Amino acid sequence: MINYHAFFNQQLQALKTEGRYRTFANLERQVGCAPYALWHKPNGETKSVVVWCSNDYLSMSHHPDVIQAFQDAATLYGVGSGGTRNISGTARLHVKLEQTLADLHDKESALVFTSGYTANEASLSALGEGLPDCVFFSDEKNHASMIQGIRHSRAEKFVFRHNDMDDLRQKLASVDPRRPKVIAFVSLYSMDGDIAPLKQICDLAKEFNALTYLDEVHAVGIYGPKGNGLAAEQGLLDRIDIIQGNFAKAYGVVGGYITGSKALVDFVRSHASGFIFTTSLPPAIAAAALKSIEVLKADPSYRQRLRQNADYLKNALRKTQLNFIDSPSHIVPVVVGDAHLCQEVATRLLNDFQIYAQPINYPTVPKGQERLRLTVTPAHTKEMIDQLVEALDIIETQENSKQAA
Ligand SMILES: Cc1ncc(COP(=O)(O)O)c(C=O)c1O
């Protein structure tokens, strides 16, 4: 008979041996202190560290107006939503948020979910299950939530090589033209910081009569004239059928959404299990998301400062021998290429330089591609950027000489 505890321990030991057992840094991110956080060490001590891996890209989670909106709504409406959207859980603020999102992306309609993960999982599974004989065409670097949604729908799927339009074309052409098709892809891929060829995908979708499903999670709030994403920045809003996004990255809150035509969004609303059978977002969260969208829509200076800092970081890295991906975006990965070494670099950054950058390993990235995924914010100073690059350089030099010895 199976010994459950022995089994779990063996599996955990295997992760440790491979160097990809995940440990969490216990942080206190205090308002007004970004990008610093208080690190609670396992031995009970605390240390102030500079955070270099937050997805709160614009520090909006600490923005005074966003906090105020959250507090005001919580005071008025409480902390819970009271149910699923079907059963007493639809609040005025959900409706307002959905109208704002539809307007932001120039679509007829929007639907809010409890997270970006749920938005992808629920929408893609509802589409794949509902469209008769549907086929998905999914970029190989799509997020886990998209992969799960497609998988749960049980529809047929073709995985095309990352951003490879020849491969996508070939796969689209191999399928009966009468079958419903959905091309699922991401505008800004979060592990490499690269951008999809959006226009070319839209052209192929038109040629093969496919729906386009675009995840803009890492782009909303930052790109586009109103922070409305890369499709907006490239003038392609009308060519994307479903735009998915979230509030947890640049907007600094939590929750996810889709936008699209009235009929499509209503179809997902009426069929998606991950929408129907779960308690809706607390109205105070909706209020905070609304405020954050409003601030970033009106004031481009946040995203301008982010881009300036990202450029400064990439420039500094270009002067070193460090193996980094010179991405066109604000996400800057430094590839270490080995799980144990990546862990070691992250540990040394934290212990010796008070710099926190979580190691990213398999299955988030392929084995051999382990990395530190650096995310600069408007709150990082040039001195902090210089210190980070210098620390990485010192560690790299020391590791190289250790290996040579
Ligand atoms: C591309 C992409 N889509 C969706 C999600 C899920 O979003 P959320 O964190 O809001 O669940 C993530 C999260 O990291 C992501 O990177």
Side-chain angles (χ1 to χ4, degrees), residues 101 105-111 113 116 119-128 131 134 136 146 181-187 198 201-202 205 210-217 220 228 231 236-245 256-269:
L101 291 164
H105 293 289
D106 219 358
K107 298 283 175 208
E108 286 174 355
S109 205
L111 193 65
F113 296 79
N120 274 336
E121 202 279 335
S123 305
L124 287 165
S125 43
L127 288 172
L131 285 165
C134 174
F136 282 107
M146 303 169 83
K181 303 175 192 69
V182 180
I183 307 175
F185 57 111
V186 176
S187 59
L198 301 181
I201 295 178
C202 292
L211 285 176
T212 42
Y213 183 105
L214 176 64
D215 176 321
E216 290 251 47
V217 156
V220 287
N228 43 353
L236 295 168
L237 282 180
D238 59 333
R239 302 196 58 195
I240 308 284
D241 296 295
I242 305 129
I243 294 179
Q244 181 268 3
Y257 64 90
I258 58 162
T259 63
S261 73
K262 199 162 178 290
L264 188 145
V265 171
D266 205 13
F267 177 85
V268 173
R269 185 187 71 89

Side-chain angles (χ1 to χ4, degrees), residues 57 110 236 240 251 375 381 397:
Y57 295 130
L236 295 168
I240 308 284
Y251 290 126
T375 54
T381 61
T397 309

Side-chain angles (χ1 to χ4, degrees), residues 55 115-117 120 143 145 186 190 215 217-218 244 246 248-249 255:
N55 279 336
S115 71
Y117 187 104
N120 274 336
H143 187 256
S145 54
V186 176
S190 74
D215 176 321
V217 156
H218 293 277
Q244 181 268 3
N246 78 349
K249 316 283 185 203

Side-chain angles (χ1 to χ4, degrees), residues 78-92:
V79 293
S81 71
T84 66
R85 288 290 291 276
N86 283 289
I87 304 175
S88 82
T90 293
R92 188 182 63 82

Side-chain angles (χ1 to χ4, degrees), residues 5-235:
H5 293 293
F7 172 82
F8 297 137
N9 280 324
Q10 266 165 19
Q11 296 294 308
L12 291 168
Q13 190 50 51
L15 288 181
K16 286 178 186 167
T17 308
E18 283 180 46
R20 59 188 186 91
Y21 177 74
R22 295 177 178 200
T23 50
F24 301 149
N26 183 355
L27 298 178
E28 217 178 294
R29 296 169 59 241
Q30 292 173 354
V31 172
C33 299
Y36 287 102
L38 208 56
W39 173 39
H40 291 258
K41 295 167 81 167
N43 66 4
E45 289 171 12
T46 55
K47 203 178 208 178
S48 178
V49 297
V50 179
V51 177
W52 271 103
C53 53
S54 176
N55 279 336
D56 186 5
Y57 295 130
L58 302 172
S59 307
M60 292 303 283
S61 75
H62 291 177
H63 192 288
D65 296 352
V66 176
I67 296 171
Q68 193 62 54
F70 177 78
Q71 284 174 342
D72 290 348
T75 304
L76 271 175
Y77 308 120
V79 293
S81 71
T84 66
R85 288 290 291 276
N86 283 289
I87 304 175
S88 82
T90 293
R92 188 182 63 82
L93 286 168
H94 292 131
V95 177
K96 191 169 172 205
L97 182 56
E98 286 169 348
Q99 285 163 351
T100 300
L101 291 164
D103 176 66
L104 186 70
H105 293 289
D106 219 358
K107 298 283 175 208
E108 286 174 355
S109 205
L111 193 65
V112 168
F113 296 79
T114 46
S115 71
Y117 187 104
T118 317
N120 274 336
E121 202 279 335
S123 305
L124 287 165
S125 43
L127 288 172
E129 232 167 30
L131 285 165
D133 210 14
C134 174
V135 196
F136 282 107
F137 298 84
S138 174
D139 187 287
E140 70 177 328
K141 292 205 173 167
N142 275 346
H143 187 256
S145 54
M146 303 169 83
I147 296 168
Q148 282 299 82
I150 292 170
R151 198 176 276 156
H152 282 172
S153 79
R154 300 209 188 95
E156 190 178 0
K157 93 171 159 192
F158 289 85
V159 177
F160 62 95
R161 281 196 297 274
H162 179 52
N163 284 348
D164 184 332
M165 294 302 97
D166 292 337
D167 195 34
L168 175 58
R169 164 180 285 284
Q170 224 173 54
K171 292 193 157 83
L172 283 162
S174 73
V175 172
D176 183 339
R178 288 164 302 185
R179 289 180 71 183
K181 303 175 192 69
V182 180
I183 307 175
F185 57 111
V186 176
S187 59
L188 172 50
Y189 287 87
S190 74
M191 287 302 139
D192 290 345
D194 60 332
I195 292 171
L198 301 181
K199 183 179 177 304
Q200 287 167 269
I201 295 178
C202 292
D203 290 345
L204 284 174
K206 186 163 184 225
E207 186 179 337
F208 291 94
N209 191 33
L211 285 176
T212 42
Y213 183 105
L214 176 64
D215 176 321
E216 290 251 47
V217 156
H218 293 277
V220 287
I222 300 175
Y223 300 87
K226 295 186 276 185
N228 43 353
L230 281 158
E233 186 161 291
Q234 298 184 18

